[in-house]
Amino acid sequence: MQLLLLLLSVMTFTVQSKSNVEVSGTCPPLLEAGYSCTYQKGDVRAGDTATLSLTGLNGIALETVAIYMKSNKSSGAGTITISADGSVIGHEEGTYADWFGSYNNTGFQPIGWSGTQKANTLQVQITGTTNSLHIEKYEIQYSEGAPYTVTLMNGSEVYQELKEKSGGGGVALPMLSSTGEWQFMGWSETEFWEVTSIPQIHAPESTFRPSHDCRLWAVYQLKQNATRNYVTTLIDGIYLYVNKTINISLSGVPEQGRMNHSKTDPKDANQFYQFEFVDSKAYVTHVISGTPIGYEGTQLMDKATPWNVYHDGEETILYTDIGGKHYVLWLDIMGKIGDEYDSEYIRYAGLMQTDNLSSPMRLLPAETEEDDVHYTCHPEAEGIEATPAGADGKERVLMNIGNYELIFKNGKKQLRLR
């Protein structure tokens, strides 16, 4: 089947190697081309296959697909299959002489398909049945598809209709304002009510190139942070050891008899400590490192020693008794380090002697959960509830924290030692 070439937009793919083609001509803006040959360059022997694959055509109207080939001096045969969007639009079987009237090993001639076919993807596959066919290039003529209309939905209302200026040119997606507590994120090709896993969205102020007339729905997100109160009942758990008055918390592990403090942050894993209460005593472990937090004399040490606990309402302070005196785990001690000639004052966490156990010290539950984030195309709706992952009874790990993992099962979150 010889082709009469038309004066249309043309893109050419010239074979450079067994895995590469050079692209030239006028191409759709999102075009991606892939090429492979099981032998070498464009040479297709019996049993070999050469495949050109194109994506990102964005609904162009194909007019001709031409493969420029030559044969051996007296042989060469195979099959040619051309598919658009997964459907075969052209198929040829035979010898080179069947197609052109004679074999030709000196000049490349075009063979392929002609017609009118809209396409987003295209594949041209040549399989050899007799040695040999030799491919020089692929040439595709096309016209731009008709411009498409994109209808933007904001909730149940039409927000705007956008029409491409020319086929494949795309439309610019606008940025919308937030609605109450719902923050605008972008645009979705699928409408949904409320979900807790992030959907695929198109960013605002980006170019969207439709392959047909379609709708896009505005997507909003809502972050819900759990309210966290200081502990009033002592139970095993992961906590921050906090000085409420100056908003600092114990941080890290013991070094040189003392520890650090940091600004209180319920999401900072370096401030997470596992508390186990046994017979009015507490055993404390730094979660992410698995290091026990204890003492030896008046020095903080990585030892699993029991802490005395003073607890009254929200107040919770750790202490030990040495020589009949109380030494509390205090977060803001001013101390001198270094020798007499080279020293400096620092603030640190350590053991401090006191006669009064009442203090601003508190236990604050660690924020081991990720933000509870919901997404919707309908922020105007009321009373809708999302089904979180794991509510179907299947166990899912949400977060790993040191030797622990936060899991979700049967609709409940649990912290478990790994």
Side-chain angles (χ1 to χ4, degrees), residues 77-81 91-94 99 125-129 133:
T79 63
I80 301 171
T81 303
H91 184 77
E92 292 285 344
E93 297 183 17
W99 299 333
Q125 189 170 79
I126 301 162
T127 301
T129 55
L133 300 174

Side-chain angles (χ1 to χ4, degrees), residues 62-379:
L62 300 174
E63 300 290 343
T64 65
V65 178
I67 309 105
Y68 283 77
M69 291 192 298
K70 66 181 180 180
S71 66
N72 287 353
K73 186 174 182 180
S74 59
S75 65
T79 63
I80 301 171
T81 303
I82 302 172
S83 302
D85 296 336
S87 298
V88 175
I89 60 172
H91 184 77
E92 292 285 344
E93 297 183 17
T95 68
Y96 193 91
D98 293 335
W99 299 333
F100 295 100
S102 63
Y103 294 104
N104 182 347
N105 68 341
T106 59
F108 294 96
Q109 302 181 84
I111 184 173
W113 167 91
S114 64
T116 300
Q117 176 70 48
K118 284 193 174 184
N120 295 297
T121 66
L122 180 70
Q123 183 183 83
V124 182
Q125 189 170 79
I126 301 162
T127 301
T129 55
T130 303
N131 293 356
S132 284
L133 300 174
H134 308 275
I135 307 165
E136 177 197 24
K137 63 182 179 181
Y138 303 79
E139 192 171 85
I140 298 171
Q141 294 191 331
Y142 69 96
S143 60
E144 297 286 355
Y148 293 116
T149 298
V150 179
T151 301
L152 301 180
M153 302 296 297
N154 190 10
S156 299
E157 303 293 328
V158 174
Y159 173 76
Q160 189 178 8
E161 286 191 348
L162 302 175
K163 188 171 184 177
E164 294 181 291
K165 292 182 179 179
S166 60
V171 297
L173 299 178
M175 168 71 79
L176 299 188
S177 301
S178 296
T179 301
E181 295 181 323
W182 290 94
Q183 180 182 358
F184 176 70
M185 288 189 66
W187 300 91
S188 170
E189 296 180 52
T190 305
E191 180 185 22
F192 55 88
W193 289 88
E194 191 166 359
V195 297
T196 55
S197 59
I198 189 166
Q200 182 177 358
I201 61 172
H202 299 280
E205 300 178 349
S206 67
T207 299
F208 173 68
R209 291 181 170 86
S211 58
H212 56 279
D213 290 338
C214 65
R215 287 185 173 188
L216 295 181
W217 281 266
V219 177
Y220 296 83
Q221 72 171 0
L222 173 65
K223 289 187 177 181
Q224 297 175 327
N225 294 312
T227 300
R228 302 189 182 276
N229 299 313
Y230 295 113
V231 168
T232 56
T233 302
L234 298 182
I235 59 174
D236 294 354
I238 296 181
Y239 303 110
L240 283 71
Y241 185 63
V242 177
N243 184 316
K244 176 183 177 181
T245 302
I246 56 179
N247 194 35
I248 60 174
S249 298
L250 189 68
S251 180
V253 299
E255 292 183 13
Q256 298 180 337
R258 56 183 177 268
M259 290 178 65
N260 292 323
H261 62 247
S262 301
K263 181 179 178 181
T264 298
D265 180 358
K267 293 184 178 181
D268 180 1
N270 206 35
Q271 300 179 32
F272 291 1
Y273 296 89
Q274 174 71 31
F275 279 69
E276 296 181 53
F277 297 97
V278 180
D279 297 330
S280 73
K281 303 285 187 180
Y283 291 86
V284 181
T285 304
H286 187 237
V287 171
I288 60 175
S289 67
T291 303
I293 307 300
Y295 50 87
E296 186 175 291
T298 60
Q299 301 292 299
L300 295 180
M301 303 291 289
D302 54 353
K303 298 178 64 175
T305 48
W307 290 92
N308 295 324
V309 181
Y310 173 81
H311 178 69
D312 182 13
E314 286 186 349
E315 295 182 43
T316 303
I317 193 166
L318 303 179
Y319 71 99
T320 185
D321 289 326
I322 302 173
K325 295 181 179 180
H326 298 317
Y327 284 80
V328 300
L329 178 52
W330 197 250
L331 300 185
D332 189 34
I333 299 174
M334 174 68 79
K336 186 178 181 181
I337 62 171
D339 57 34
E340 181 179 357
Y341 301 102
D342 184 15
S343 63
E344 62 177 321
Y345 284 93
I346 64 168
R347 292 185 179 276
Y348 62 90
L351 289 175
M352 182 180 72
Q353 194 273 322
T354 182
D355 296 324
N356 181 16
L357 292 178
S358 181
S359 74
M361 304 306 299
R362 304 288 190 268
L363 294 184
L364 180 67
E367 193 166 322
T368 55
E369 305 170 17
E370 296 181 354
D371 287 336
D372 184 12
V373 185
H374 293 205
Y375 305 91
T376 187
C377 295
H378 291 277

